[in-house]
Amino acid sequence: MNLTKYFSILFVSLFGVLSIYSCAAVQAPSGGPKDETPPELIQSVPDNGTIFFPGGRVELVFSEYLSENSIANAITVMPKLKEDPELIYKGRRVFVNFPDSLLSNQTYIISIDRSLKDEHGVFLEQGLQVAYATGAKINEGSVTGTIKHIKPASAQLWKIKSEEDLSLFYQRDPDYVLDAADNGSYRFQFLSSGAYKLASVDQSVSETAINPDRTVTGLPWEAIIQLGINETVTGMDMMIPERSGPNRMNRAEWVTGTWFKLFFSENVSDLLNLLPVQVFAEGSIFPVLDLFLDNEDKTMIHIILSESIPRPGLVAFALNSIQQGEKTLLDSSRVAVRTDTTRDTTNAKISFPVKSYIHPIEEEIIVPLKINFSSFMEKSKTPAPIALMQDSISVPLIFNWISPLTLEITPEANWNPKTNYKLHIYADELHPVYGKTLSDSVATMSFKTSNFIRFGHLLGQVESKLPGKVVAQVKYLEKEPEDFYTVVNLDGTFAMNRLREGNYSLLFFEDSDGDNRYSYGSLDPYKPAEWFFIYPDTVEIRGNWDMELTGIQFEKRSL
């Protein structure tokens, strides 16, 4: 083989190897980091802001391939058309086909909400809007605000078109719908001048018609938003309650004998002494012997009738509504439950304290320990059915039956912090009304005390002019959320004493109805919510310190 032929073969071989390597190098390796980059809209055809738009096809180009299944619910046209526009998916492109019969001098918006996602399941980071005008200008009006909700929320906007819309606007589809950002902010853009109605709902039901009796709805503090030409209305903030409507009795449960449980939609601890419970069976009214709140579930009350129901059958419980001014604290309701001849033959159990329980204690007062039983006990006074031990030393205590289910014990001297204790509960000294006593002759339970809980004070100064009676509300943000309220004085000062050490949120609201609680408004009959302002920073309360907040400023803007 001559040298020329040899080098020719060698060159061809090396070129082939390099070519194969080069081709392999441009291929995406398998595996690798997970794609977490949200898709972006990089172009629209015609351009965003086009005027004299005749209708027809609009092309939306995204930065990466989209998930086809997410498109139909994510892309909408506002205000709503008589028929939804056709959407055509083409990888990174989505075509929106408008009808040719569009309204004259109208700005149409293609809204892309945050449910749109790419082929890797990464959602759009923030909602987008693209606007086209059939006339000579794009409407530039806008409404902005923030929605306070524990879950993702959506804002809905109706342009008032008739007198019926003033009160029954929610009975038709909203003209504009937007998903709020992660921080709750929203911004309706490209709006024409006119009067509008506004509401907010949980994002999961934003495509569902609003039912004023069932849909949990947030409302603004302005009944009507009057929008001028190219005007921007800001501060249309809304809060969505956790539940819809007033508290109500949902169901009843028969336990045994004359013992029943009633379950409510919300905490009833503030209403316990006001509950007008009536009990009906066999055409007669049965008097209530005892009624008390469950120690663990504040939405449940226990009822003991003064006499037994003669025969098994339906027992009905009725409650009249409780009003405070114009506000309904408890809705009227009626529930029924069936009884039978079954007798409780089970052994009683201790439901609280639970294993590894840590009892919170304070230095200035002795915090009692509550012991909950699964069955009613006779409220015997002597002898004590319980002993409290620290190591092997008996701790003198005072005990008190605060209900047939709950025994409260208080040591004569305060608890020691961060200390292990034991309870010895004697079955022979417990006398169940139903069933049997504890299965063990002596039930032993261990628990530990916390360090002393420390408390601080919050002192504040509002420098802005108050719009009326203003209430400050702080919410404890730790394990057991709790709200505290105080009225802001006319000079802008306010104070809250004995706040548990920890982090709090701070809210101010105009107490228009005078009940010292925030009112969310109502759809039927329509009533706007109360104005509010959320202090932007977390308030940290430190033990034995005065936390001073000065220079607080807010403004209630009138439209």
Side-chain angles (χ1 to χ4, degrees), residues 371-388:
I371 303 167
N372 295 338
F373 296 91
S374 64
S375 184
F376 278 3
M377 301 292 173
E378 293 182 5
K379 299 180 182 180
S380 57
K381 297 297 181 183
T382 55
I386 195 165
L388 176 64

PDB file of all heavy atoms in Angstrom, residues 371-388:
ATOM      1  N   ILE A 371     -58.664  16.939  81.396  1.00  0.00           N
ATOM      2  CA  ILE A 371     -58.638  15.511  81.076  1.00  0.00           C
ATOM      3  C   ILE A 371     -60.000  15.149  80.496  1.00  0.00           C
ATOM      4  O   ILE A 371     -61.039  15.333  81.157  1.00  0.00           O
ATOM      5  CB  ILE A 371     -58.343  14.664  82.321  1.00  0.00           C
ATOM      6  CG1 ILE A 371     -57.009  15.104  82.941  1.00  0.00           C
ATOM      7  CG2 ILE A 371     -58.315  13.188  81.967  1.00  0.00           C
ATOM      8  CD1 ILE A 371     -56.790  14.558  84.323  1.00  0.00           C
ATOM      9  N   ASN A 372     -59.996  14.676  79.270  1.00  0.00           N
ATOM     10  CA  ASN A 372     -61.247  14.367  78.575  1.00  0.00           C
ATOM     11  C   ASN A 372     -61.501  12.870  78.544  1.00  0.00           C
ATOM     12  O   ASN A 372     -60.584  12.082  78.260  1.00  0.00           O
ATOM     13  CB  ASN A 372     -61.212  14.890  77.134  1.00  0.00           C
ATOM     14  CG  ASN A 372     -61.134  16.392  77.072  1.00  0.00           C
ATOM     15  OD1 ASN A 372     -61.491  17.075  78.018  1.00  0.00           O
ATOM     16  ND2 ASN A 372     -60.658  16.915  75.958  1.00  0.00           N
ATOM     17  N   PHE A 373     -62.761  12.495  78.809  1.00  0.00           N
ATOM     18  CA  PHE A 373     -63.180  11.095  78.769  1.00  0.00           C
ATOM     19  C   PHE A 373     -64.107  10.878  77.582  1.00  0.00           C
ATOM     20  O   PHE A 373     -64.745  11.812  77.090  1.00  0.00           O
ATOM     21  CB  PHE A 373     -63.882  10.713  80.072  1.00  0.00           C
ATOM     22  CG  PHE A 373     -62.982  10.778  81.274  1.00  0.00           C
ATOM     23  CD1 PHE A 373     -62.886  11.941  82.022  1.00  0.00           C
ATOM     24  CD2 PHE A 373     -62.212   9.684  81.643  1.00  0.00           C
ATOM     25  CE1 PHE A 373     -62.050  12.016  83.128  1.00  0.00           C
ATOM     26  CE2 PHE A 373     -61.370   9.745  82.741  1.00  0.00           C
ATOM     27  CZ  PHE A 373     -61.289  10.924  83.486  1.00  0.00           C
ATOM     28  N   SER A 374     -64.184   9.654  77.129  1.00  0.00           N
ATOM     29  CA  SER A 374     -65.029   9.323  75.976  1.00  0.00           C
ATOM     30  C   SER A 374     -66.492   9.157  76.352  1.00  0.00           C
ATOM     31  O   SER A 374     -67.356   9.129  75.481  1.00  0.00           O
ATOM     32  CB  SER A 374     -64.517   8.042  75.313  1.00  0.00           C
ATOM     33  OG  SER A 374     -64.626   6.941  76.213  1.00  0.00           O
ATOM     34  N   SER A 375     -66.773   9.019  77.649  1.00  0.00           N
ATOM     35  CA  SER A 375     -68.146   8.791  78.094  1.00  0.00           C
ATOM     36  C   SER A 375     -68.461   9.677  79.287  1.00  0.00           C
ATOM     37  O   SER A 375     -67.568  10.121  80.015  1.00  0.00           O
ATOM     38  CB  SER A 375     -68.333   7.315  78.467  1.00  0.00           C
ATOM     39  OG  SER A 375     -69.676   7.050  78.821  1.00  0.00           O
ATOM     40  N   PHE A 376     -69.750   9.964  79.458  1.00  0.00           N
ATOM     41  CA  PHE A 376     -70.194  10.815  80.565  1.00  0.00           C
ATOM     42  C   PHE A 376     -69.826  10.207  81.918  1.00  0.00           C
ATOM     43  O   PHE A 376     -69.964   9.005  82.124  1.00  0.00           O
ATOM     44  CB  PHE A 376     -71.712  10.985  80.521  1.00  0.00           C
ATOM     45  CG  PHE A 376     -72.160  12.047  79.542  1.00  0.00           C
ATOM     46  CD1 PHE A 376     -71.256  12.726  78.743  1.00  0.00           C
ATOM     47  CD2 PHE A 376     -73.506  12.364  79.439  1.00  0.00           C
ATOM     48  CE1 PHE A 376     -71.676  13.690  77.863  1.00  0.00           C
ATOM     49  CE2 PHE A 376     -73.940  13.331  78.556  1.00  0.00           C
ATOM     50  CZ  PHE A 376     -73.025  13.988  77.761  1.00  0.00           C
ATOM     51  N   MET A 377     -69.395  11.082  82.820  1.00  0.00           N
ATOM     52  CA  MET A 377     -69.092  10.678  84.194  1.00  0.00           C
ATOM     53  C   MET A 377     -69.960  11.479  85.158  1.00  0.00           C
ATOM     54  O   MET A 377     -70.277  12.644  84.914  1.00  0.00           O
ATOM     55  CB  MET A 377     -67.608  10.948  84.509  1.00  0.00           C
ATOM     56  CG  MET A 377     -66.636  10.227  83.609  1.00  0.00           C
ATOM     57  SD  MET A 377     -66.672   8.438  83.883  1.00  0.00           S
ATOM     58  CE  MET A 377     -65.596   7.882  82.548  1.00  0.00           C
ATOM     59  N   GLU A 378     -70.325  10.825  86.246  1.00  0.00           N
ATOM     60  CA  GLU A 378     -71.006  11.551  87.309  1.00  0.00           C
ATOM     61  C   GLU A 378     -70.020  12.522  87.952  1.00  0.00           C
ATOM     62  O   GLU A 378     -68.859  12.192  88.178  1.00  0.00           O
ATOM     63  CB  GLU A 378     -71.551  10.583  88.356  1.00  0.00           C
ATOM     64  CG  GLU A 378     -72.671   9.689  87.832  1.00  0.00           C
ATOM     65  CD  GLU A 378     -73.205   8.770  88.921  1.00  0.00           C
ATOM     66  OE1 GLU A 378     -72.751   8.914  90.083  1.00  0.00           O
ATOM     67  OE2 GLU A 378     -74.061   7.925  88.610  1.00  0.00           O
ATOM     68  N   LYS A 379     -70.480  13.721  88.217  1.00  0.00           N
ATOM     69  CA  LYS A 379     -69.589  14.765  88.739  1.00  0.00           C
ATOM     70  C   LYS A 379     -69.400  14.603  90.249  1.00  0.00           C
ATOM     71  O   LYS A 379     -69.822  15.433  91.055  1.00  0.00           O
ATOM     72  CB  LYS A 379     -70.158  16.150  88.422  1.00  0.00           C
ATOM     73  CG  LYS A 379     -70.300  16.434  86.930  1.00  0.00           C
ATOM     74  CD  LYS A 379     -70.873  17.834  86.701  1.00  0.00           C
ATOM     75  CE  LYS A 379     -71.075  18.141  85.252  1.00  0.00           C
ATOM     76  NZ  LYS A 379     -71.621  19.507  85.041  1.00  0.00           N
ATOM     77  N   SER A 380     -68.767  13.526  90.627  1.00  0.00           N
ATOM     78  CA  SER A 380     -68.542  13.276  92.053  1.00  0.00           C
ATOM     79  C   SER A 380     -67.467  14.210  92.579  1.00  0.00           C
ATOM     80  O   SER A 380     -66.535  14.592  91.869  1.00  0.00           O
ATOM     81  CB  SER A 380     -68.124  11.824  92.264  1.00  0.00           C
ATOM     82  OG  SER A 380     -66.969  11.535  91.505  1.00  0.00           O
ATOM     83  N   LYS A 381     -67.570  14.598  93.831  1.00  0.00           N
ATOM     84  CA  LYS A 381     -66.614  15.534  94.430  1.00  0.00           C
ATOM     85  C   LYS A 381     -65.523  14.825  95.221  1.00  0.00           C
ATOM     86  O   LYS A 381     -64.390  15.268  95.291  1.00  0.00           O
ATOM     87  CB  LYS A 381     -67.359  16.503  95.346  1.00  0.00           C
ATOM     88  CG  LYS A 381     -68.379  17.384  94.617  1.00  0.00           C
ATOM     89  CD  LYS A 381     -67.701  18.289  93.598  1.00  0.00           C
ATOM     90  CE  LYS A 381     -68.701  19.193  92.893  1.00  0.00           C
ATOM     91  NZ  LYS A 381     -68.058  20.027  91.863  1.00  0.00           N
ATOM     92  N   THR A 382     -65.889  13.722  95.858  1.00  0.00           N
ATOM     93  CA  THR A 382     -64.905  12.990  96.669  1.00  0.00           C
ATOM     94  C   THR A 382     -65.154  11.496  96.492  1.00  0.00           C
ATOM     95  O   THR A 382     -66.303  11.070  96.291  1.00  0.00           O
ATOM     96  CB  THR A 382     -65.045  13.340  98.171  1.00  0.00           C
ATOM     97  OG1 THR A 382     -66.398  13.101  98.579  1.00  0.00           O
ATOM     98  CG2 THR A 382     -64.663  14.788  98.416  1.00  0.00           C
ATOM     99  N   PRO A 383     -64.148  10.675  96.644  1.00  0.00           N
ATOM    100  CA  PRO A 383     -62.738  11.075  96.735  1.00  0.00           C
ATOM    101  C   PRO A 383     -62.201  11.451  95.354  1.00  0.00           C
ATOM    102  O   PRO A 383     -62.845  11.197  94.343  1.00  0.00           O
ATOM    103  CB  PRO A 383     -62.058   9.824  97.280  1.00  0.00           C
ATOM    104  CG  PRO A 383     -62.898   8.708  96.724  1.00  0.00           C
ATOM    105  CD  PRO A 383     -64.312   9.208  96.736  1.00  0.00           C
ATOM    106  N   ALA A 384     -61.014  12.002  95.305  1.00  0.00           N
ATOM    107  CA  ALA A 384     -60.415  12.402  94.042  1.00  0.00           C
ATOM    108  C   ALA A 384     -60.132  11.168  93.191  1.00  0.00           C
ATOM    109  O   ALA A 384     -59.529  10.207  93.677  1.00  0.00           O
ATOM    110  CB  ALA A 384     -59.132  13.176  94.297  1.00  0.00           C
ATOM    111  N   PRO A 385     -60.561  11.165  91.921  1.00  0.00           N
ATOM    112  CA  PRO A 385     -60.320   9.988  91.078  1.00  0.00           C
ATOM    113  C   PRO A 385     -58.946  10.017  90.414  1.00  0.00           C
ATOM    114  O   PRO A 385     -58.677   9.205  89.532  1.00  0.00           O
ATOM    115  CB  PRO A 385     -61.420  10.113  90.013  1.00  0.00           C
ATOM    116  CG  PRO A 385     -61.611  11.598  89.883  1.00  0.00           C
ATOM    117  CD  PRO A 385     -61.369  12.190  91.242  1.00  0.00           C
ATOM    118  N   ILE A 386     -58.080  10.908  90.885  1.00  0.00           N
ATOM    119  CA  ILE A 386     -56.832  11.120  90.159  1.00  0.00           C
ATOM    120  C   ILE A 386     -55.717  11.517  91.110  1.00  0.00           C
ATOM    121  O   ILE A 386     -55.961  12.108  92.168  1.00  0.00           O
ATOM    122  CB  ILE A 386     -57.055  12.211  89.083  1.00  0.00           C
ATOM    123  CG1 ILE A 386     -55.920  12.218  88.072  1.00  0.00           C
ATOM    124  CG2 ILE A 386     -57.219  13.589  89.709  1.00  0.00           C
ATOM    125  CD1 ILE A 386     -56.276  13.015  86.827  1.00  0.00           C
ATOM    126  N   ALA A 387     -54.475  11.186  90.727  1.00  0.00           N
ATOM    127  CA  ALA A 387     -53.289  11.631  91.468  1.00  0.00           C
ATOM    128  C   ALA A 387     -52.295  12.186  90.466  1.00  0.00           C
ATOM    129  O   ALA A 387     -52.133  11.655  89.362  1.00  0.00           O
ATOM    130  CB  ALA A 387     -52.672  10.475  92.255  1.00  0.00           C
ATOM    131  N   LEU A 388     -51.635  13.269  90.866  1.00  0.00           N
ATOM    132  CA  LEU A 388     -50.629  13.912  90.027  1.00  0.00           C
ATOM    133  C   LEU A 388     -49.265  13.695  90.669  1.00  0.00           C
ATOM    134  O   LEU A 388     -49.074  13.989  91.861  1.00  0.00           O
ATOM    135  CB  LEU A 388     -50.935  15.409  89.889  1.00  0.00           C
ATOM    136  CG  LEU A 388     -49.930  16.249  89.112  1.00  0.00           C
ATOM    137  CD1 LEU A 388     -49.873  15.810  87.647  1.00  0.00           C
ATOM    138  CD2 LEU A 388     -50.306  17.739  89.195  1.00  0.00           C
TER     139      LEU A 388
END
